[in-house]
PDB file of all heavy atoms in Angstrom:
ATOM      1  N   ILE A  32      91.980 127.889  88.325  1.00 83.00           N
ATOM      2  CA  ILE A  32      92.126 129.352  88.450  1.00 83.00           C
ATOM      3  C   ILE A  32      92.091 130.004  87.051  1.00 83.00           C
ATOM      4  O   ILE A  32      91.386 130.988  86.811  1.00 83.00           O
ATOM      5  CB  ILE A  32      93.412 129.695  89.158  1.00 83.00           C
ATOM      6  CG1 ILE A  32      93.370 129.274  90.629  1.00 83.00           C
ATOM      7  CG2 ILE A  32      93.700 131.220  89.089  1.00 83.00           C
ATOM      8  CD1 ILE A  32      94.699 129.365  91.353  1.00 83.00           C
ATOM      9  N   THR A  33      92.835 129.416  86.121  1.00 90.00           N
ATOM     10  CA  THR A  33      92.902 129.946  84.754  1.00 90.00           C
ATOM     11  C   THR A  33      91.533 129.858  84.080  1.00 90.00           C
ATOM     12  O   THR A  33      91.096 130.821  83.406  1.00 90.00           O
ATOM     13  CB  THR A  33      93.933 129.170  83.913  1.00 90.00           C
ATOM     14  OG1 THR A  33      95.216 129.196  84.582  1.00 90.00           O
ATOM     15  CG2 THR A  33      94.088 129.783  82.528  1.00 90.00           C
ATOM     16  N   GLU A  34      90.856 128.736  84.265  1.00 87.00           N
ATOM     17  CA  GLU A  34      89.509 128.586  83.690  1.00 87.00           C
ATOM     18  C   GLU A  34      88.559 129.632  84.274  1.00 87.00           C
ATOM     19  O   GLU A  34      87.756 130.227  83.561  1.00 87.00           O
ATOM     20  CB  GLU A  34      88.992 127.178  83.961  1.00 87.00           C
ATOM     21  CG  GLU A  34      89.712 126.082  83.196  1.00 87.00           C
ATOM     22  CD  GLU A  34      89.534 124.701  83.789  1.00 87.00           C
ATOM     23  OE1 GLU A  34      88.847 124.556  84.820  1.00 87.00           O
ATOM     24  OE2 GLU A  34      90.086 123.742  83.208  1.00 87.00           O
ATOM     25  N   GLY A  35      88.679 129.834  85.597  1.00 82.00           N
ATOM     26  CA  GLY A  35      87.815 130.853  86.263  1.00 82.00           C
ATOM     27  C   GLY A  35      88.058 132.218  85.712  1.00 82.00           C
ATOM     28  O   GLY A  35      87.137 133.006  85.471  1.00 82.00           O
ATOM     29  N   LEU A  36      89.349 132.604  85.491  1.00 85.00           N
ATOM     30  CA  LEU A  36      89.677 133.914  84.977  1.00 85.00           C
ATOM     31  C   LEU A  36      89.202 134.088  83.543  1.00 85.00           C
ATOM     32  O   LEU A  36      88.901 135.216  83.112  1.00 85.00           O
ATOM     33  CB  LEU A  36      91.194 134.129  85.055  1.00 85.00           C
ATOM     34  CG  LEU A  36      91.768 134.299  86.459  1.00 85.00           C
ATOM     35  CD1 LEU A  36      93.306 134.339  86.405  1.00 85.00           C
ATOM     36  CD2 LEU A  36      91.248 135.573  87.120  1.00 85.00           C
ATOM     37  N   MET A  37      89.121 132.982  82.796  1.00 88.00           N
ATOM     38  CA  MET A  37      88.645 133.066  81.402  1.00 88.00           C
ATOM     39  C   MET A  37      87.128 132.883  81.298  1.00 88.00           C
ATOM     40  O   MET A  37      86.598 132.828  80.205  1.00 88.00           O
ATOM     41  CB  MET A  37      89.359 132.023  80.555  1.00 88.00           C
ATOM     42  CG  MET A  37      90.841 132.297  80.347  1.00 88.00           C
ATOM     43  SD  MET A  37      91.623 131.275  79.029  1.00 88.00           S
ATOM     44  CE  MET A  37      91.470 129.612  79.717  1.00 88.00           C
ATOM     45  N   GLY A  38      86.474 132.741  82.452  1.00 85.00           N
ATOM     46  CA  GLY A  38      85.008 132.610  82.449  1.00 85.00           C
ATOM     47  C   GLY A  38      84.529 131.211  82.074  1.00 85.00           C
ATOM     48  O   GLY A  38      83.349 131.049  81.709  1.00 85.00           O
ATOM     49  N   ILE A  39      85.381 130.211  82.133  1.00 83.00           N
ATOM     50  CA  ILE A  39      84.995 128.849  81.860  1.00 83.00           C
ATOM     51  C   ILE A  39      84.511 128.192  83.129  1.00 83.00           C
ATOM     52  O   ILE A  39      85.213 128.246  84.158  1.00 83.00           O
ATOM     53  CB  ILE A  39      86.203 128.059  81.297  1.00 83.00           C
ATOM     54  CG1 ILE A  39      86.730 128.695  80.009  1.00 83.00           C
ATOM     55  CG2 ILE A  39      85.816 126.599  81.037  1.00 83.00           C
ATOM     56  CD1 ILE A  39      88.016 128.094  79.513  1.00 83.00           C
ATOM     57  N   PRO A  40      83.323 127.586  83.158  1.00 76.00           N
ATOM     58  CA  PRO A  40      82.799 126.980  84.382  1.00 76.00           C
ATOM     59  C   PRO A  40      83.655 125.774  84.814  1.00 76.00           C
ATOM     60  O   PRO A  40      83.751 124.762  84.096  1.00 76.00           O
ATOM     61  CB  PRO A  40      81.386 126.509  83.994  1.00 76.00           C
ATOM     62  CG  PRO A  40      81.414 126.392  82.485  1.00 76.00           C
ATOM     63  CD  PRO A  40      82.365 127.462  82.029  1.00 76.00           C
ATOM     64  N   VAL A  41      84.275 125.861  86.005  1.00 71.00           N
ATOM     65  CA  VAL A  41      85.244 124.865  86.445  1.00 71.00           C
ATOM     66  C   VAL A  41      84.598 123.526  86.770  1.00 71.00           C
ATOM     67  O   VAL A  41      85.271 122.499  86.776  1.00 71.00           O
ATOM     68  CB  VAL A  41      86.034 125.361  87.658  1.00 71.00           C
ATOM     69  CG1 VAL A  41      86.819 126.610  87.283  1.00 71.00           C
ATOM     70  CG2 VAL A  41      85.109 125.633  88.844  1.00 71.00           C
ATOM     71  N   ASP A  42      83.276 123.505  87.063  1.00 69.00           N
ATOM     72  CA  ASP A  42      82.611 122.254  87.400  1.00 69.00           C
ATOM     73  C   ASP A  42      81.824 121.635  86.246  1.00 69.00           C
ATOM     74  O   ASP A  42      81.147 120.619  86.430  1.00 69.00           O
ATOM     75  CB  ASP A  42      81.690 122.443  88.609  1.00 69.00           C
ATOM     76  CG  ASP A  42      80.620 123.500  88.343  1.00 69.00           C
ATOM     77  OD1 ASP A  42      80.734 124.216  87.333  1.00 69.00           O
ATOM     78  OD2 ASP A  42      79.687 123.618  89.160  1.00 69.00           O
ATOM     79  N   ASP A  43      81.961 122.220  85.046  1.00 74.00           N
ATOM     80  CA  ASP A  43      81.345 121.634  83.852  1.00 74.00           C
ATOM     81  C   ASP A  43      81.986 120.291  83.538  1.00 74.00           C
ATOM     82  O   ASP A  43      83.235 120.217  83.478  1.00 74.00           O
ATOM     83  CB  ASP A  43      81.533 122.600  82.662  1.00 74.00           C
ATOM     84  CG  ASP A  43      80.758 122.154  81.421  1.00 74.00           C
ATOM     85  OD1 ASP A  43      80.931 120.974  81.037  1.00 74.00           O
ATOM     86  OD2 ASP A  43      80.040 122.954  80.840  1.00 74.00           O
ATOM     87  N   PRO A  44      81.230 119.198  83.368  1.00 73.00           N
ATOM     88  CA  PRO A  44      81.833 117.888  83.079  1.00 73.00           C
ATOM     89  C   PRO A  44      82.771 117.869  81.925  1.00 73.00           C
ATOM     90  O   PRO A  44      83.807 117.167  81.945  1.00 73.00           O
ATOM     91  CB  PRO A  44      80.586 117.023  82.836  1.00 73.00           C
ATOM     92  CG  PRO A  44      79.481 117.665  83.605  1.00 73.00           C
ATOM     93  CD  PRO A  44      79.752 119.146  83.464  1.00 73.00           C
ATOM     94  N   SER A  45      82.455 118.606  80.867  1.00 76.00           N
ATOM     95  CA  SER A  45      83.342 118.629  79.695  1.00 76.00           C
ATOM     96  C   SER A  45      84.663 119.329  80.022  1.00 76.00           C
ATOM     97  O   SER A  45      85.732 118.947  79.503  1.00 76.00           O
ATOM     98  CB  SER A  45      82.673 119.318  78.524  1.00 76.00           C
ATOM     99  OG  SER A  45      82.458 120.713  78.806  1.00 76.00           O
ATOM    100  N   VAL A  46      84.624 120.324  80.866  1.00 79.00           N
ATOM    101  CA  VAL A  46      85.831 121.079  81.244  1.00 79.00           C
ATOM    102  C   VAL A  46      86.715 120.192  82.165  1.00 79.00           C
ATOM    103  O   VAL A  46      87.921 120.142  82.017  1.00 79.00           O
ATOM    104  CB  VAL A  46      85.467 122.396  81.922  1.00 79.00           C
ATOM    105  CG1 VAL A  46      86.726 123.104  82.432  1.00 79.00           C
ATOM    106  CG2 VAL A  46      84.710 123.325  80.981  1.00 79.00           C
ATOM    107  N   VAL A  47      86.052 119.504  83.110  1.00 77.00           N
ATOM    108  CA  VAL A  47      86.799 118.606  83.987  1.00 77.00           C
ATOM    109  C   VAL A  47      87.462 117.504  83.135  1.00 77.00           C
ATOM    110  O   VAL A  47      88.620 117.146  83.353  1.00 77.00           O
ATOM    111  CB  VAL A  47      85.823 117.943  85.019  1.00 77.00           C
ATOM    112  CG1 VAL A  47      86.559 116.884  85.816  1.00 77.00           C
ATOM    113  CG2 VAL A  47      85.273 119.032  85.968  1.00 77.00           C
ATOM    114  N   GLY A  48      86.724 117.016  82.170  1.00 78.00           N
ATOM    115  CA  GLY A  48      87.239 115.971  81.277  1.00 78.00           C
ATOM    116  C   GLY A  48      88.405 116.510  80.448  1.00 78.00           C
ATOM    117  O   GLY A  48      89.422 115.816  80.286  1.00 78.00           O
ATOM    118  N   PHE A  49      88.260 117.724  79.918  1.00 84.00           N
ATOM    119  CA  PHE A  49      89.326 118.320  79.126  1.00 84.00           C
ATOM    120  C   PHE A  49      90.628 118.426  79.945  1.00 84.00           C
ATOM    121  O   PHE A  49      91.713 118.098  79.452  1.00 84.00           O
ATOM    122  CB  PHE A  49      88.899 119.739  78.688  1.00 84.00           C
ATOM    123  CG  PHE A  49      89.968 120.503  77.983  1.00 84.00           C
ATOM    124  CD1 PHE A  49      90.142 120.381  76.610  1.00 84.00           C
ATOM    125  CD2 PHE A  49      90.811 121.377  78.667  1.00 84.00           C
ATOM    126  CE1 PHE A  49      91.154 121.099  75.959  1.00 84.00           C
ATOM    127  CE2 PHE A  49      91.811 122.076  78.025  1.00 84.00           C
ATOM    128  CZ  PHE A  49      91.974 121.944  76.653  1.00 84.00           C
ATOM    129  N   SER A  50      90.506 118.874  81.212  1.00 82.00           N
ATOM    130  CA  SER A  50      91.666 119.004  82.054  1.00 82.00           C
ATOM    131  C   SER A  50      92.378 117.653  82.266  1.00 82.00           C
ATOM    132  O   SER A  50      93.608 117.599  82.281  1.00 82.00           O
ATOM    133  CB  SER A  50      91.277 119.579  83.422  1.00 82.00           C
ATOM    134  OG  SER A  50      90.685 120.860  83.281  1.00 82.00           O
ATOM    135  N   ALA A  51      91.593 116.609  82.410  1.00 80.00           N
ATOM    136  CA  ALA A  51      92.167 115.271  82.619  1.00 80.00           C
ATOM    137  C   ALA A  51      92.835 114.750  81.330  1.00 80.00           C
ATOM    138  O   ALA A  51      93.916 114.144  81.386  1.00 80.00           O
ATOM    139  CB  ALA A  51      91.110 114.286  83.064  1.00 80.00           C
ATOM    140  N   VAL A  52      92.219 115.029  80.188  1.00 83.00           N
ATOM    141  CA  VAL A  52      92.765 114.523  78.927  1.00 83.00           C
ATOM    142  C   VAL A  52      94.090 115.175  78.562  1.00 83.00           C
ATOM    143  O   VAL A  52      95.027 114.491  78.134  1.00 83.00           O
ATOM    144  CB  VAL A  52      91.732 114.705  77.789  1.00 83.00           C
ATOM    145  CG1 VAL A  52      92.365 114.371  76.442  1.00 83.00           C
ATOM    146  CG2 VAL A  52      90.506 113.814  78.029  1.00 83.00           C
ATOM    147  N   ILE A  53      94.213 116.492  78.730  1.00 87.00           N
ATOM    148  CA  ILE A  53      95.449 117.158  78.335  1.00 87.00           C
ATOM    149  C   ILE A  53      96.599 116.776  79.268  1.00 87.00           C
ATOM    150  O   ILE A  53      97.773 117.006  78.916  1.00 87.00           O
ATOM    151  CB  ILE A  53      95.300 118.701  78.245  1.00 87.00           C
ATOM    152  CG1 ILE A  53      94.976 119.316  79.619  1.00 87.00           C
ATOM    153  CG2 ILE A  53      94.247 119.052  77.226  1.00 87.00           C
ATOM    154  CD1 ILE A  53      95.036 120.835  79.591  1.00 87.00           C
TER     155      ILE A  53
END
Side-chain angles (χ1 to χ4, degrees):
I32 292 170
T33 305
E34 290 161 0
L36 290 173
M37 292 193 296
I39 300 172
V41 299
D42 57 350
D43 186 309
S45 65
V46 175
V47 174
F49 174 87
S50 299
V52 171
I53 64 172

